[in-house]
Amino acid sequence: MSNQIFILKIFISKILNYLIYLFLCTPTLFILILLFPFLKIRFYRFNNRIGHVSEDLFLYLNKKKKEKKKTLDIFYIDETDGKVNQGLIYIAKHNGLLFFPEFFVKKMFFFIKILSLRIIFFKQFLAYERNSKKDGYQYFDSNFQFSIPSQIHSFGKEFLKKLIQKIKK
């Protein structure tokens, strides 16, 4: 009996997902295509791992600087496996990244990502793309600098002071 309930829950979940893609993502994508000549709206996902967030943030900002395009890039944080480092998110927001709630952006990002695998045109709706560890480094600029808020500097200095005091004891 419990196995049947489990299967029913999975079935209902899949049906709801397909309905969201059909009735929410598809019309939104048509609107994005119509707006594209005037306003380029793109999506991207940051996962929760600190190394991935820091690397993707740095490479995305490098890419954005080299593109010199007017775009509205919308991000979400995938915290499926845990919380992401809030300091990095604070730095990202300080550098102009817009984070939206996961529910809608996640569906749009994966919808566009899947379509872009078959139709290259849809890659234009991805703010950044990582298919391997080497992706993104074509935008690398060793002279690139991004802004770090003064609160992060202050927090780091306090942290180092406390650490040095512990070491001296």
Side-chain angles (χ1 to χ4, degrees), residues 124-159:
Q124 299 175 78
F125 297 100
L126 298 173
Y128 181 71
E129 188 174 19
R130 286 291 290 244
N131 293 317
S132 74
K133 284 295 280 175
K134 295 180 181 168
D135 281 352
Y137 282 91
Q138 65 270 26
Y139 307 112
F140 180 75
D141 177 2
S142 61
N143 298 319
F144 178 76
Q145 295 179 357
F146 59 94
S147 178
I148 297 177
S150 60
Q151 295 91 333
I152 298 289
H153 284 286
S154 300
F155 180 78
K157 286 178 184 177
E158 289 299 316
F159 176 76

Side-chain angles (χ1 to χ4, degrees), residues 42-163:
R42 306 182 304 181
F43 299 89
Y44 187 66
R45 167 188 74 93
F46 283 107
N47 77 10
N48 70 321
R49 298 179 68 192
I50 191 168
H52 290 256
V53 174
S54 58
E55 184 179 26
D56 286 353
L57 173 61
F58 177 72
L59 292 173
Y60 163 76
L61 290 172
N62 271 271
K63 177 186 180 211
K64 183 77 170 170
K65 181 182 175 190
K66 284 189 177 185
E67 284 180 332
K68 298 178 183 172
K69 293 179 187 175
K70 296 262 185 213
T71 59
L72 174 62
D73 294 339
I74 299 171
F75 300 88
Y76 81 94
I77 302 165
D78 187 354
E79 295 184 332
T80 306
D81 297 325
K83 291 284 184 193
V84 72
N85 182 292
Q86 293 304 306
L88 283 173
I89 298 306
Y90 188 71
I91 290 171
K93 288 178 180 178
H94 187 74
N95 282 278
L97 275 69
L98 295 173
F99 289 92
F100 279 62
E102 181 179 347
F103 171 74
F104 177 69
V105 180
K106 180 178 185 176
K107 298 290 185 198
M108 277 307 297
F109 173 75
F110 281 110
F111 187 58
I112 292 169
K113 182 84 171 153
I114 289 167
L115 287 173
S116 73
L117 295 174
R118 295 281 184 194
I119 306 169
I120 295 172
F121 170 77
F122 290 111
K123 287 187 184 277
Q124 299 175 78
F125 297 100
L126 298 173
Y128 181 71
E129 188 174 19
R130 286 291 290 244
N131 293 317
S132 74
K133 284 295 280 175
K134 295 180 181 168
D135 281 352
Y137 282 91
Q138 65 270 26
Y139 307 112
F140 180 75
D141 177 2
S142 61
N143 298 319
F144 178 76
Q145 295 179 357
F146 59 94
S147 178
I148 297 177
S150 60
Q151 295 91 333
I152 298 289
H153 284 286
S154 300
F155 180 78
K157 286 178 184 177
E158 289 299 316
F159 176 76
L160 284 175
K161 283 180 188 176
K162 289 177 184 176
L163 189 61

